[in-house]
Amino acid sequence: MKIRRVIKWTFGVVFFGLVLWLFVAYWTSTNDCNVRSALTHPMKAVRYCEYGPPDVLKVDVIEKPVPNDDELLIRVRAASVNAADGHKLRGGFISRPFTGMRKPKNTRAGTDYAGVVEVVGRNVKDFKPGDDVFGGRNGALAEYVCARADRAVVVKPANISFEQAGSVAIAGLTALQGLRDTGHLKAGQKVLINGASGGVGTFAVQIAKALGAEVTAVCSTKNVELVRSLGADRVIDYTKENFTEGDQRYDVIFDLVNNHSYSDRRRVLNPGGICVMAGIGGSGWHEETFSRLAGELNAYLRSRFTKEKFVSYLANLNKQDLGVLRELMETGKVVPAVTKTYPLTETVAAYKYLETGHARGKVAITID
């Protein structure tokens, strides 16, 4: 009885502490949107002061950043929008404890960028003013960003435009790390990419081919030719055929949609095969993210007792893998599929297009 009482009180104290922490974190959550001061070197940047739909985004004027000794000041020429941004923008229940309970702590939008180095810190050795670069940095939807020289930034290939390079970081790394590191895809293996016409999917088709795999891509009717042009060996139009009902078996399923059951996907895996479930609740921007997240967890747990494994992961922004993508682009094995561009002033429209869930390839933002 004494042990039960101790457990009961311990649980109660922990629960009360958690509720109190959430309450305090919610009401003390704030940001710098209401802080205004004279600007010495103004620049334009996209910000959001409240969580919500794309309409909360606005082009604001803020102070131009100053690089420290280990940083580059980069004039951004192009950036892009990602489905993963939707979780931050709307303040998903998983992300709010980290990004701000009531309001976003960091009000800057965007991650992917490409541009020209204007200033280098005194400790920077690998870059110089005038270098064309691309990478990933929070707050990329702006005229300028500062980036650590030893982090996720590399020199842009000359054969790739700023719009293309500015769409690489999140989508390209998600595809590379999902296929190579999580799926352990090898030359000669068969891979199916579900959601092949989106931002991550268009990179995944090309990277899988570069790794020597036989690629089957799943997309809608209007995107069949786009996906085929990227190198897919076989394209399945999901409006006409359900890949889980076919006779083909795969060593790896790279699932960017997670819209099929555990049992259906396991049935088309080869013995010992792996299903890689990208992102949280799928890499797309879905209203049903919570239900798909529950489906991922169910698949992961059930696969602990079978030879066929279901795994989830999140991409990691790093310099080394951006270098791998740079080499793939420089040799022509990967070409970012930018299908639509918007100026910085129309960023809201770009996010609304992405939010439809049917965006083709990558959506770029040009910055004059």
Side-chain angles (χ1 to χ4, degrees), residues 262 266 269 273-275 277 295-312:
Y262 162 78
R266 184 190 170 201
L269 279 172
I274 185 170
C275 178
M277 302 175 291
E296 287 184 28
L297 180 60
N298 172 65
Y300 170 80
L301 293 174
R302 292 177 66 179
S303 74
R304 298 307 94 192
F305 305 97
T306 64
K307 292 181 180 179
E308 298 73 46
K309 301 302 179 185
F310 284 63
V311 294
S312 294

PDB file of all heavy atoms in Angstrom, residues 262 266 269 273-275 277 295-312:
ATOM      1  N   TYR A 262      -0.096  -0.231 -42.925  1.00  0.00           N
ATOM      2  CA  TYR A 262       1.119  -1.009 -42.662  1.00  0.00           C
ATOM      3  C   TYR A 262       1.091  -2.325 -43.428  1.00  0.00           C
ATOM      4  O   TYR A 262       2.063  -2.684 -44.105  1.00  0.00           O
ATOM      5  CB  TYR A 262       1.240  -1.264 -41.156  1.00  0.00           C
ATOM      6  CG  TYR A 262       2.175  -2.386 -40.781  1.00  0.00           C
ATOM      7  CD1 TYR A 262       3.548  -2.195 -40.786  1.00  0.00           C
ATOM      8  CD2 TYR A 262       1.675  -3.636 -40.419  1.00  0.00           C
ATOM      9  CE1 TYR A 262       4.410  -3.227 -40.443  1.00  0.00           C
ATOM     10  CE2 TYR A 262       2.527  -4.676 -40.074  1.00  0.00           C
ATOM     11  CZ  TYR A 262       3.899  -4.469 -40.092  1.00  0.00           C
ATOM     12  OH  TYR A 262       4.743  -5.499 -39.760  1.00  0.00           O
ATOM     13  N   ARG A 266       3.668  -3.505 -46.361  1.00  0.00           N
ATOM     14  CA  ARG A 266       4.540  -4.633 -46.038  1.00  0.00           C
ATOM     15  C   ARG A 266       4.402  -5.734 -47.091  1.00  0.00           C
ATOM     16  O   ARG A 266       5.379  -6.413 -47.423  1.00  0.00           O
ATOM     17  CB  ARG A 266       4.198  -5.183 -44.654  1.00  0.00           C
ATOM     18  CG  ARG A 266       5.141  -6.302 -44.228  1.00  0.00           C
ATOM     19  CD  ARG A 266       4.667  -7.011 -42.987  1.00  0.00           C
ATOM     20  NE  ARG A 266       5.461  -8.200 -42.750  1.00  0.00           N
ATOM     21  CZ  ARG A 266       5.079  -9.228 -42.022  1.00  0.00           C
ATOM     22  NH1 ARG A 266       3.882  -9.197 -41.422  1.00  0.00           N
ATOM     23  NH2 ARG A 266       5.862 -10.268 -41.862  1.00  0.00           N
ATOM     24  N   LEU A 269       6.835  -5.351 -49.947  1.00  0.00           N
ATOM     25  CA  LEU A 269       8.258  -5.307 -49.623  1.00  0.00           C
ATOM     26  C   LEU A 269       8.871  -6.689 -49.790  1.00  0.00           C
ATOM     27  O   LEU A 269       8.244  -7.701 -49.454  1.00  0.00           O
ATOM     28  CB  LEU A 269       8.474  -4.841 -48.184  1.00  0.00           C
ATOM     29  CG  LEU A 269       8.419  -3.346 -47.896  1.00  0.00           C
ATOM     30  CD1 LEU A 269       8.458  -3.102 -46.391  1.00  0.00           C
ATOM     31  CD2 LEU A 269       9.560  -2.600 -48.586  1.00  0.00           C
ATOM     32  N   GLY A 273      12.923  -6.142 -46.398  1.00  0.00           N
ATOM     33  CA  GLY A 273      12.876  -4.809 -46.979  1.00  0.00           C
ATOM     34  C   GLY A 273      12.571  -3.743 -45.937  1.00  0.00           C
ATOM     35  O   GLY A 273      12.269  -4.033 -44.780  1.00  0.00           O
ATOM     36  N   ILE A 274      12.659  -2.493 -46.355  1.00  0.00           N
ATOM     37  CA  ILE A 274      12.464  -1.381 -45.422  1.00  0.00           C
ATOM     38  C   ILE A 274      11.567  -0.325 -46.041  1.00  0.00           C
ATOM     39  O   ILE A 274      11.683  -0.016 -47.234  1.00  0.00           O
ATOM     40  CB  ILE A 274      13.825  -0.767 -45.009  1.00  0.00           C
ATOM     41  CG1 ILE A 274      13.636   0.303 -43.943  1.00  0.00           C
ATOM     42  CG2 ILE A 274      14.567  -0.212 -46.209  1.00  0.00           C
ATOM     43  CD1 ILE A 274      14.944   0.758 -43.321  1.00  0.00           C
ATOM     44  N   CYS A 275      10.658   0.206 -45.244  1.00  0.00           N
ATOM     45  CA  CYS A 275       9.810   1.322 -45.655  1.00  0.00           C
ATOM     46  C   CYS A 275      10.266   2.560 -44.879  1.00  0.00           C
ATOM     47  O   CYS A 275      10.185   2.586 -43.648  1.00  0.00           O
ATOM     48  CB  CYS A 275       8.337   1.022 -45.386  1.00  0.00           C
ATOM     49  SG  CYS A 275       7.233   2.393 -45.818  1.00  0.00           S
ATOM     50  N   MET A 277       9.634   6.248 -43.868  1.00  0.00           N
ATOM     51  CA  MET A 277       8.530   7.201 -43.780  1.00  0.00           C
ATOM     52  C   MET A 277       9.114   8.573 -43.467  1.00  0.00           C
ATOM     53  O   MET A 277       9.554   8.840 -42.349  1.00  0.00           O
ATOM     54  CB  MET A 277       7.543   6.757 -42.699  1.00  0.00           C
ATOM     55  CG  MET A 277       6.990   5.356 -42.951  1.00  0.00           C
ATOM     56  SD  MET A 277       5.924   4.730 -41.624  1.00  0.00           S
ATOM     57  CE  MET A 277       7.123   4.506 -40.286  1.00  0.00           C
ATOM     58  N   GLY A 295      -0.436   6.624 -37.606  1.00  0.00           N
ATOM     59  CA  GLY A 295      -0.210   5.490 -38.503  1.00  0.00           C
ATOM     60  C   GLY A 295       1.265   5.131 -38.599  1.00  0.00           C
ATOM     61  O   GLY A 295       1.624   3.949 -38.644  1.00  0.00           O
ATOM     62  N   GLU A 296       2.133   6.135 -38.612  1.00  0.00           N
ATOM     63  CA  GLU A 296       3.577   5.879 -38.645  1.00  0.00           C
ATOM     64  C   GLU A 296       4.019   5.148 -37.379  1.00  0.00           C
ATOM     65  O   GLU A 296       4.815   4.208 -37.442  1.00  0.00           O
ATOM     66  CB  GLU A 296       4.347   7.196 -38.768  1.00  0.00           C
ATOM     67  CG  GLU A 296       4.279   7.841 -40.124  1.00  0.00           C
ATOM     68  CD  GLU A 296       5.140   9.081 -40.198  1.00  0.00           C
ATOM     69  OE1 GLU A 296       6.140   9.165 -39.458  1.00  0.00           O
ATOM     70  OE2 GLU A 296       4.818   9.976 -40.991  1.00  0.00           O
ATOM     71  N   LEU A 297       3.534   5.614 -36.237  1.00  0.00           N
ATOM     72  CA  LEU A 297       3.907   4.987 -34.976  1.00  0.00           C
ATOM     73  C   LEU A 297       3.434   3.542 -34.938  1.00  0.00           C
ATOM     74  O   LEU A 297       4.171   2.641 -34.503  1.00  0.00           O
ATOM     75  CB  LEU A 297       3.310   5.775 -33.806  1.00  0.00           C
ATOM     76  CG  LEU A 297       3.619   5.235 -32.407  1.00  0.00           C
ATOM     77  CD1 LEU A 297       5.116   5.210 -32.158  1.00  0.00           C
ATOM     78  CD2 LEU A 297       2.910   6.066 -31.340  1.00  0.00           C
ATOM     79  N   ASN A 298       2.222   3.305 -35.410  1.00  0.00           N
ATOM     80  CA  ASN A 298       1.681   1.951 -35.458  1.00  0.00           C
ATOM     81  C   ASN A 298       2.546   1.050 -36.344  1.00  0.00           C
ATOM     82  O   ASN A 298       2.888  -0.080 -35.965  1.00  0.00           O
ATOM     83  CB  ASN A 298       0.250   1.986 -35.985  1.00  0.00           C
ATOM     84  CG  ASN A 298      -0.311   0.602 -36.256  1.00  0.00           C
ATOM     85  OD1 ASN A 298      -0.497  -0.209 -35.364  1.00  0.00           O
ATOM     86  ND2 ASN A 298      -0.578   0.322 -37.535  1.00  0.00           N
ATOM     87  N   ALA A 299       2.921   1.580 -37.523  1.00  0.00           N
ATOM     88  CA  ALA A 299       3.743   0.791 -38.447  1.00  0.00           C
ATOM     89  C   ALA A 299       5.122   0.503 -37.854  1.00  0.00           C
ATOM     90  O   ALA A 299       5.647  -0.610 -37.966  1.00  0.00           O
ATOM     91  CB  ALA A 299       3.879   1.531 -39.776  1.00  0.00           C
ATOM     92  N   TYR A 300       5.701   1.511 -37.213  1.00  0.00           N
ATOM     93  CA  TYR A 300       7.019   1.331 -36.604  1.00  0.00           C
ATOM     94  C   TYR A 300       6.991   0.245 -35.530  1.00  0.00           C
ATOM     95  O   TYR A 300       7.848  -0.649 -35.499  1.00  0.00           O
ATOM     96  CB  TYR A 300       7.504   2.643 -36.001  1.00  0.00           C
ATOM     97  CG  TYR A 300       8.747   2.500 -35.156  1.00  0.00           C
ATOM     98  CD1 TYR A 300      10.008   2.409 -35.745  1.00  0.00           C
ATOM     99  CD2 TYR A 300       8.655   2.421 -33.764  1.00  0.00           C
ATOM    100  CE1 TYR A 300      11.147   2.260 -34.969  1.00  0.00           C
ATOM    101  CE2 TYR A 300       9.791   2.271 -32.984  1.00  0.00           C
ATOM    102  CZ  TYR A 300      11.029   2.181 -33.581  1.00  0.00           C
ATOM    103  OH  TYR A 300      12.149   2.019 -32.811  1.00  0.00           O
ATOM    104  N   LEU A 301       6.006   0.306 -34.649  1.00  0.00           N
ATOM    105  CA  LEU A 301       5.926  -0.653 -33.546  1.00  0.00           C
ATOM    106  C   LEU A 301       5.663  -2.071 -34.060  1.00  0.00           C
ATOM    107  O   LEU A 301       6.281  -3.037 -33.595  1.00  0.00           O
ATOM    108  CB  LEU A 301       4.832  -0.227 -32.566  1.00  0.00           C
ATOM    109  CG  LEU A 301       5.106   1.078 -31.789  1.00  0.00           C
ATOM    110  CD1 LEU A 301       3.900   1.462 -30.958  1.00  0.00           C
ATOM    111  CD2 LEU A 301       6.340   0.931 -30.913  1.00  0.00           C
ATOM    112  N   ARG A 302       4.760  -2.204 -35.012  1.00  0.00           N
ATOM    113  CA  ARG A 302       4.440  -3.532 -35.530  1.00  0.00           C
ATOM    114  C   ARG A 302       5.625  -4.146 -36.266  1.00  0.00           C
ATOM    115  O   ARG A 302       5.835  -5.365 -36.234  1.00  0.00           O
ATOM    116  CB  ARG A 302       3.222  -3.455 -36.450  1.00  0.00           C
ATOM    117  CG  ARG A 302       1.927  -3.119 -35.714  1.00  0.00           C
ATOM    118  CD  ARG A 302       0.755  -2.988 -36.653  1.00  0.00           C
ATOM    119  NE  ARG A 302       0.412  -4.250 -37.299  1.00  0.00           N
ATOM    120  CZ  ARG A 302      -0.607  -4.384 -38.156  1.00  0.00           C
ATOM    121  NH1 ARG A 302      -1.357  -3.326 -38.455  1.00  0.00           N
ATOM    122  NH2 ARG A 302      -0.866  -5.549 -38.705  1.00  0.00           N
ATOM    123  N   SER A 303       6.416  -3.295 -36.919  1.00  0.00           N
ATOM    124  CA  SER A 303       7.543  -3.831 -37.686  1.00  0.00           C
ATOM    125  C   SER A 303       8.699  -4.274 -36.797  1.00  0.00           C
ATOM    126  O   SER A 303       9.648  -4.896 -37.284  1.00  0.00           O
ATOM    127  CB  SER A 303       8.033  -2.779 -38.696  1.00  0.00           C
ATOM    128  OG  SER A 303       8.750  -1.745 -38.061  1.00  0.00           O
ATOM    129  N   ARG A 304       8.638  -3.954 -35.489  1.00  0.00           N
ATOM    130  CA  ARG A 304       9.681  -4.445 -34.583  1.00  0.00           C
ATOM    131  C   ARG A 304       9.642  -5.964 -34.488  1.00  0.00           C
ATOM    132  O   ARG A 304      10.618  -6.588 -34.052  1.00  0.00           O
ATOM    133  CB  ARG A 304       9.514  -3.864 -33.177  1.00  0.00           C
ATOM    134  CG  ARG A 304       9.614  -2.345 -33.047  1.00  0.00           C
ATOM    135  CD  ARG A 304      10.889  -1.803 -33.674  1.00  0.00           C
ATOM    136  NE  ARG A 304      10.669  -1.377 -35.051  1.00  0.00           N
ATOM    137  CZ  ARG A 304      11.625  -1.074 -35.910  1.00  0.00           C
ATOM    138  NH1 ARG A 304      12.885  -1.175 -35.542  1.00  0.00           N
ATOM    139  NH2 ARG A 304      11.344  -0.695 -37.136  1.00  0.00           N
ATOM    140  N   PHE A 305       8.514  -6.579 -34.882  1.00  0.00           N
ATOM    141  CA  PHE A 305       8.335  -8.026 -34.740  1.00  0.00           C
ATOM    142  C   PHE A 305       8.352  -8.742 -36.085  1.00  0.00           C
ATOM    143  O   PHE A 305       7.964  -9.905 -36.189  1.00  0.00           O
ATOM    144  CB  PHE A 305       7.018  -8.310 -34.009  1.00  0.00           C
ATOM    145  CG  PHE A 305       6.908  -7.619 -32.678  1.00  0.00           C
ATOM    146  CD1 PHE A 305       6.226  -6.416 -32.558  1.00  0.00           C
ATOM    147  CD2 PHE A 305       7.529  -8.148 -31.557  1.00  0.00           C
ATOM    148  CE1 PHE A 305       6.139  -5.769 -31.330  1.00  0.00           C
ATOM    149  CE2 PHE A 305       7.449  -7.509 -30.328  1.00  0.00           C
ATOM    150  CZ  PHE A 305       6.752  -6.315 -30.216  1.00  0.00           C
ATOM    151  N   THR A 306       8.799  -8.041 -37.142  1.00  0.00           N
ATOM    152  CA  THR A 306       8.858  -8.651 -38.469  1.00  0.00           C
ATOM    153  C   THR A 306      10.221  -8.368 -39.101  1.00  0.00           C
ATOM    154  O   THR A 306      10.967  -7.502 -38.649  1.00  0.00           O
ATOM    155  CB  THR A 306       7.751  -8.091 -39.387  1.00  0.00           C
ATOM    156  OG1 THR A 306       7.978  -6.679 -39.586  1.00  0.00           O
ATOM    157  CG2 THR A 306       6.363  -8.311 -38.788  1.00  0.00           C
ATOM    158  N   LYS A 307      10.522  -9.085 -40.176  1.00  0.00           N
ATOM    159  CA  LYS A 307      11.771  -8.860 -40.899  1.00  0.00           C
ATOM    160  C   LYS A 307      11.735  -7.535 -41.653  1.00  0.00           C
ATOM    161  O   LYS A 307      12.767  -6.893 -41.850  1.00  0.00           O
ATOM    162  CB  LYS A 307      12.011 -10.003 -41.893  1.00  0.00           C
ATOM    163  CG  LYS A 307      12.303 -11.350 -41.249  1.00  0.00           C
ATOM    164  CD  LYS A 307      12.548 -12.401 -42.323  1.00  0.00           C
ATOM    165  CE  LYS A 307      12.851 -13.764 -41.707  1.00  0.00           C
ATOM    166  NZ  LYS A 307      13.072 -14.791 -42.753  1.00  0.00           N
ATOM    167  N   GLU A 308      10.553  -7.152 -42.100  1.00  0.00           N
ATOM    168  CA  GLU A 308      10.395  -5.912 -42.855  1.00  0.00           C
ATOM    169  C   GLU A 308      10.245  -4.749 -41.868  1.00  0.00           C
ATOM    170  O   GLU A 308       9.388  -4.800 -41.000  1.00  0.00           O
ATOM    171  CB  GLU A 308       9.182  -5.969 -43.792  1.00  0.00           C
ATOM    172  CG  GLU A 308       9.283  -7.054 -44.847  1.00  0.00           C
ATOM    173  CD  GLU A 308       9.097  -8.461 -44.273  1.00  0.00           C
ATOM    174  OE1 GLU A 308       8.148  -8.648 -43.480  1.00  0.00           O
ATOM    175  OE2 GLU A 308       9.910  -9.337 -44.599  1.00  0.00           O
ATOM    176  N   LYS A 309      11.062  -3.725 -42.024  1.00  0.00           N
ATOM    177  CA  LYS A 309      11.088  -2.636 -41.052  1.00  0.00           C
ATOM    178  C   LYS A 309      10.459  -1.361 -41.605  1.00  0.00           C
ATOM    179  O   LYS A 309      10.597  -1.048 -42.790  1.00  0.00           O
ATOM    180  CB  LYS A 309      12.530  -2.351 -40.617  1.00  0.00           C
ATOM    181  CG  LYS A 309      13.238  -3.543 -39.991  1.00  0.00           C
ATOM    182  CD  LYS A 309      12.486  -4.081 -38.768  1.00  0.00           C
ATOM    183  CE  LYS A 309      13.184  -5.275 -38.170  1.00  0.00           C
ATOM    184  NZ  LYS A 309      12.392  -5.876 -37.064  1.00  0.00           N
ATOM    185  N   PHE A 310       9.794  -0.627 -40.718  1.00  0.00           N
ATOM    186  CA  PHE A 310       9.226   0.688 -41.030  1.00  0.00           C
ATOM    187  C   PHE A 310       9.915   1.694 -40.108  1.00  0.00           C
ATOM    188  O   PHE A 310       9.877   1.539 -38.887  1.00  0.00           O
ATOM    189  CB  PHE A 310       7.714   0.694 -40.793  1.00  0.00           C
ATOM    190  CG  PHE A 310       6.924   0.001 -41.870  1.00  0.00           C
ATOM    191  CD1 PHE A 310       7.083  -1.360 -42.104  1.00  0.00           C
ATOM    192  CD2 PHE A 310       6.023   0.706 -42.650  1.00  0.00           C
ATOM    193  CE1 PHE A 310       6.367  -2.006 -43.092  1.00  0.00           C
ATOM    194  CE2 PHE A 310       5.294   0.073 -43.642  1.00  0.00           C
ATOM    195  CZ  PHE A 310       5.461  -1.285 -43.873  1.00  0.00           C
ATOM    196  N   VAL A 311      10.538   2.710 -40.690  1.00  0.00           N
ATOM    197  CA  VAL A 311      11.290   3.673 -39.891  1.00  0.00           C
ATOM    198  C   VAL A 311      10.968   5.097 -40.334  1.00  0.00           C
ATOM    199  O   VAL A 311      10.671   5.357 -41.503  1.00  0.00           O
ATOM    200  CB  VAL A 311      12.809   3.435 -39.993  1.00  0.00           C
ATOM    201  CG1 VAL A 311      13.197   2.107 -39.375  1.00  0.00           C
ATOM    202  CG2 VAL A 311      13.270   3.490 -41.446  1.00  0.00           C
ATOM    203  N   SER A 312      11.027   6.029 -39.384  1.00  0.00           N
ATOM    204  CA  SER A 312      10.859   7.448 -39.663  1.00  0.00           C
ATOM    205  C   SER A 312      12.160   8.180 -39.352  1.00  0.00           C
ATOM    206  O   SER A 312      13.007   7.675 -38.612  1.00  0.00           O
ATOM    207  CB  SER A 312       9.724   8.035 -38.819  1.00  0.00           C
ATOM    208  OG  SER A 312       8.476   7.482 -39.182  1.00  0.00           O
TER     209      SER A 312
END
